[in-house]
Every structure is written in C-alpha cells, then in structure tokens.
Amino acid sequence: MSSPAGWYDDPADPTQQRYWDGSTWTDQRRAQQGPAPYQGQFGAPSQYGQAAQHGQVYGGGAAPTEPTRPAQPQYGQYAPPHQQPQQQPQYGQYAGPQQPPYGQQYQQPQYGHPQQQGYGYPGKPPHTTPDGQLLSGWWRRVFARIIDSIIVGIVGLPLTGYFYYKYSQVLWDYFKSTMDAAEAGTPTTSTTLPPEVYKWMIPAILIGLVVSFIYEYLFLTKKGATPGKMLLGIAVRLREVPGNPPGSAVAKRYGFEMALSVLGAIPLVGTLAGFIALINYLWPLWDDKNQALHDKVAATNVVRV
C-alpha cells in the first residue's frame, strides 16, 4: 500500500524534503521545514501547532511504502559500515562467530561459576589460611629446610665436630676389621654395629638437635622465619592467628621432629621412626591445609610473605 502524496524526508539526503506524488518520487525538492516534530501520525500537531494534513509529514515523517535501496558508493568512494555488504559464507564453509568492534575486548561467556583470580589452577581457589593468607608450596619448604640444615651444621660444628670425628674413626676400624677377617677366610656375620659407635653417635645427634632447636626457636619467635625460609619468602604462623608463632607452638612443632630423630638412632625402632619422618615431610603434598604432621601437632602453617 502506497503512502499519500506529500512532502517527505528525501531518502537520499536527510537535510531536505522531496515530493511524493502517491506512486513515485518527483524531482521537486525543498529544504527541511524546521525541526522535525514527533513522528507524524495522522492528526498529530505540526511544528506550528496545526494538525498535519492527510498524507503530509513536515520533517521526520514516515518514509513512503515504496521499497528504496541505499545509495551505492561510487568507485573509489568510502562506504560507511552500515552500507558495506556482508559476505555470505559459501556452501560448506563455516561462518565463525561475529568479531567484536575494533577497540573492544572479546569476553568469553561464563557458564556457571566465574573463574577464580590469583594463585592456583584456573577455576580452583588457592590454599590459604582462614584469614586469607596464601600458603607455601611444598618445594619452597624443602629448599628452605636444606638451606637451614647447612647453616645449623656449620654453626654446630665446633660442638659436634669432635664426636663425629671419633664416631667416624670407630666406624672405619669396624669396617676395616670386617674386611680383614673376610680376606683371612674367617668372615663375621654380625648385623649390628659395635656399641662404641653409639657412644659417639648419640651425643653428636643430641648436640645437633639442641643447636637446631635453639636456631628454630629464636628465629621463629622473633622473626617468624629462619634464614632459609626468609630466602624463599615464607614464614611460620599459627593457622588461626597471624603473626610470629608463640614459643609453645615452636616447641611442639620442633619437638615432634626431634623425637623422630632420636628414635631413628635406635635399632629396629629406627626403621619405623624413619618411615614416619618421611611421611611427615611428604604430608603437605596431599593435605588440604598444606600442613605437615608437625604442623598439625602445633596448629601452624607455613605461609607466603
């Protein structure tokens, strides 16, 4: 159905009007007649307060019903984005998702839960203390323990050196006599070390443990971390309370390890103690709170700082 004859916005130039004779456009044009009122419905007031005549809209009126095509750009002219034809995919070709406008970042739609931010695997929150401090990984703890063991060994050497020297002498004499007996055709079948070995080994171990305990106690209660832990950026704290751990927690924490070390020097029992000590160091790998067994005894955590 065609629109009534009248002046309408020129489809080719919105700054002027063109006369529609009821069936087709004529060559009669004129400038826009003032600002366009609300879309010219029949009976709606014109810009001068008069009702628009039947079939006439002064500026901004609805276009005639004759289908019109947008003007095509000439060769060498720029075509606005809305006039650029969209290339249709050929039969059998995949039409990919629409690309976002230039300058806008493409956002992957989320399905269900938002992705967690920070440390850890995508979608999996990192392990933290109840108040949100990030827990240390297992490898940091291992390297920190190695560094601290070297430092403690050097610091305690003046106190333990003599005992380790005598221990090594007794052990060497035992192996030498065993080899000499084997060469002479009278091998010994003893499976235990001579008692004199333990005479020097046990004092050396105990002195080393005391030095190590003093080292851990002073640094953890005063600094919250030993030198090895400081180098690796980790520290020890109570799981529920931030800050340096109290002396009681440090004593429980290191006392558990000291007991396993002493039991490890006892024949037969030492095998079981050594196995528990190994489990103690590996426990943070599968524990949901990243605690070793000695951490659970003292209610502590090793955290990132």
Side-chain angles (χ1 to χ4, degrees):
M1 174 178 169
S2 300
S3 299
W7 290 96
Y8 297 91
D9 291 344
D10 190 346
D13 186 358
T15 63
Q16 63 181 2
Q17 294 182 332
R18 188 173 180 182
Y19 190 77
W20 172 263
D21 64 3
S23 60
T24 185
W25 290 108
T26 67
D27 292 333
Q28 298 180 13
R29 292 180 173 84
R30 71 178 185 183
Q32 288 282 1
Q33 302 299 304
Y38 180 76
Q39 297 293 339
Q41 305 292 337
F42 295 113
S46 65
Q47 86 179 77
Y48 300 108
Q50 299 177 357
Q53 297 181 7
H54 178 75
Q56 290 186 330
V57 179
Y58 294 100
T65 57
E66 180 187 25
T68 59
R69 295 182 179 179
Q72 298 295 327
Q74 301 297 324
Y75 179 77
Q77 293 182 349
Y78 169 74
H82 67 276
Q83 293 185 4
Q84 293 180 359
Q86 296 183 356
Q87 184 177 2
Q88 298 295 329
Q90 300 295 327
Y91 178 77
Q93 293 182 348
Y94 168 71
Q98 182 180 2
Q99 296 296 327
Y102 179 77
Q104 295 185 5
Q105 183 179 4
Y106 177 77
Q107 296 182 353
Q108 181 71 23
Q110 303 293 331
Y111 301 98
H113 302 286
Q115 184 176 2
Q116 297 288 342
Q117 301 293 330
Y119 296 92
Y121 298 102
K124 180 180 179 181
H127 290 171
T128 63
T129 58
D131 57 353
Q133 187 170 8
L134 188 67
L135 301 182
S136 169
W138 186 75
W139 282 108
R140 287 180 181 269
R141 300 183 62 168
V142 170
F143 286 122
R145 177 54 64 100
I146 293 173
I147 295 172
D148 287 330
S149 298
I150 295 174
I151 296 175
V152 169
I154 294 173
V155 171
L157 190 60
L159 300 176
T160 60
Y162 175 76
F163 294 95
Y164 279 120
Y165 171 73
K166 299 296 291 184
Y167 162 77
S168 62
Q169 274 192 332
V170 173
L171 197 61
W172 172 252
D173 292 340
Y174 169 74
F175 284 125
K176 187 175 183 302
S177 62
T178 301
M179 296 298 296
D180 291 342
E183 291 178 358
T186 57
T188 58
T189 58
S190 175
T191 58
T192 60
L193 296 174
E196 194 175 0
V197 171
Y198 298 101
K199 173 184 175 181
W200 301 106
M201 180 180 68
I202 292 177
I205 293 176
L206 293 177
I207 293 174
L209 290 175
V210 171
V211 173
S212 181
F213 173 76
I214 295 173
Y215 174 87
E216 292 265 345
Y217 187 90
L218 292 178
F219 276 108
L220 292 186
T221 55
K222 303 298 182 183
K223 300 291 186 180
T226 57
K229 290 180 172 60
M230 294 179 191
L231 289 175
L232 273 297
I234 58 178
V236 178
R237 54 161 280 183
L238 292 177
R239 177 168 177 80
E240 303 292 338
V241 183
N244 298 342
S248 58
V250 176
K252 292 178 183 178
R253 193 172 189 274
Y254 194 77
F256 182 85
E257 297 181 274
M258 183 181 292
L260 292 178
S261 298
V262 172
L263 292 175
I266 302 176
L268 300 179
V269 179
T271 303
L272 177 60
F275 177 75
I276 297 175
L278 176 62
I279 295 298
N280 174 46
Y281 290 121
L282 296 178
W283 199 270
L285 288 173
W286 56 77
D287 188 73
D288 60 344
K289 298 177 182 178
N290 285 28
Q291 289 179 311
L293 296 181
H294 61 268
D295 287 314
K296 292 187 177 297
V297 170
T300 57
N301 259 134
V302 180
V303 297
R304 294 284 301 273
V305 293

